[in-house]
Structures are given as structure tokens and as C-alpha cells.
Amino acid sequence: MSYTDIGQGYQYHLPIEEDRTWIEESLVGNSYWTADTIYNASTPDETSDNFKISRIFSYSETNQKLGIILHQVIKPMSSLVNYGIVVHPTLRDKGVGHEFTKQLLRWDRDINKWSVDNYYFVFENSWDTTFLGDNWTKVTNTPFICCSIKLSEVTL
């Protein structure tokens, strides 16, 4: 398995078959994604102009899996859409998703491997998005919170 270190004690890898049971455990109670949704985005064609990519994030030191993030990269629009984060049930409500999201934003901003500048998040309305700061444009009159920012303006 190949890990990508994103700093501050976090890393990610693309899902593999050995992750399936853990993914299914993580998705319990999630009505938006299935394990197949995650696996369909686990082997992205990053040379394409439009692709989805799923990543399992974990602690670098222990390789303990924490959660899953699903993105769509739309190169012609210079955009990355984050369809959300699912944290494993044993780690929910402990700030794990917030901390990883902040570090992933830093890494995406600094490395920017897909040359995108428009960054979008879609969260359930129950999510506390104050950790994102004040630079974000937020639309909250939907069942979801839709947030956007220029990646170059991320100041986390």
C-alpha cells in the first residue's frame, strides 16, 4: 500500500480491497455513499479533465485509519469539489474530521497537484464549519452547507 504524507501527522492512501470491511463499518448510517461509491473512485485517471478520487486518511505514525474523503476534480473549471468526509464511528465527535480537513486544505493549497484554485465543500447542515474561518462563501438554505473559496486564499 502506498501512502502520501500530508504533514502534521496525517497521510492518505487510495482504497484497496483489504479496506472494504473498514469502509463498510465507516459508512454505517450514511445514506449518501456506498462502499462501491468509494471503490469506483479509488483508481482515478488523474490525466482526465474530470475525475473522482476517494482517499482514506490515517495517522502517519500508526497507520490507524480515521476516515474517508471523496473529491471530484474538474480541471477545465480549475475546481475541486469535496463531497464530504466520513469518519469511522469509533472516532466521531472527537474533532478528527476537522483536523484532517484543515491539514488536507493546507496540503492541497501548497502542493496543488491538480492545479485547481476553486475549492468547494458540501457538508450536512449539522456540521460545524466555523473551523473553516471567515474567508469562505457559505450557502446554508439547503439541506447541505455549500462552502467555496479560492484555494490560494486558504489561510488555515
Side-chain angles (χ1 to χ4, degrees):
M1 179 176 334
S2 174
Y3 291 97
T4 299
D5 185 358
I6 63 168
Q8 302 294 315
Y10 293 101
Q11 64 188 1
Y12 74 81
H13 72 274
L14 301 179
I16 59 175
E17 187 58 37
E18 288 81 11
D19 295 318
R20 184 171 286 277
T21 299
W22 183 87
I23 289 170
E24 289 171 352
E25 289 172 6
S26 297
L27 295 177
V28 168
N30 184 307
S31 58
Y32 306 109
W33 301 353
T34 66
D36 287 338
T37 305
I38 302 306
Y39 279 101
N40 289 341
S42 67
T43 54
D45 175 3
E46 295 186 44
T47 63
S48 172
D49 280 346
N50 187 339
F51 61 91
K52 288 185 180 171
I53 181 170
S54 58
R55 303 187 255 185
I56 294 177
F57 57 96
S58 56
Y59 290 127
S60 302
E61 190 173 309
T62 63
N63 293 337
Q64 178 188 4
K65 295 177 213 165
L66 305 170
I68 308 160
I69 193 164
L70 178 65
H71 295 298
Q72 182 168 3
V73 176
I74 309 167
K75 291 179 184 177
M77 295 175 56
S78 185
S79 298
L80 188 146
V81 179
N82 177 329
Y83 290 111
I85 295 172
V86 174
V87 175
H88 192 274
T90 60
L91 299 169
R92 290 183 186 156
D93 300 320
K94 297 179 180 174
V96 170
H98 288 177
E99 286 306 310
F100 176 76
T101 300
K102 288 195 296 190
Q103 186 55 30
L104 184 64
L105 276 166
R106 284 186 197 102
W107 186 80
D108 282 339
R109 178 197 62 206
D110 296 344
I111 303 300
N112 205 349
K113 69 186 272 185
W114 299 301
S115 300
V116 298
D117 193 35
N118 302 304
Y119 207 96
Y120 300 92
F121 272 101
V122 180
F123 296 109
E124 291 186 23
N125 267 333
S126 61
W127 251 63
D128 173 11
T129 59
T130 56
F131 76 98
L132 292 173
D134 295 329
N135 294 347
W136 291 76
T137 301
K138 298 177 185 175
V139 178
T140 59
N141 59 347
T142 69
F144 301 96
I145 300 171
C146 303
C147 306
S148 65
I149 195 169
K150 294 284 189 191
L151 196 54
S152 58
E153 297 173 4
V154 171
T155 59
L156 298 172

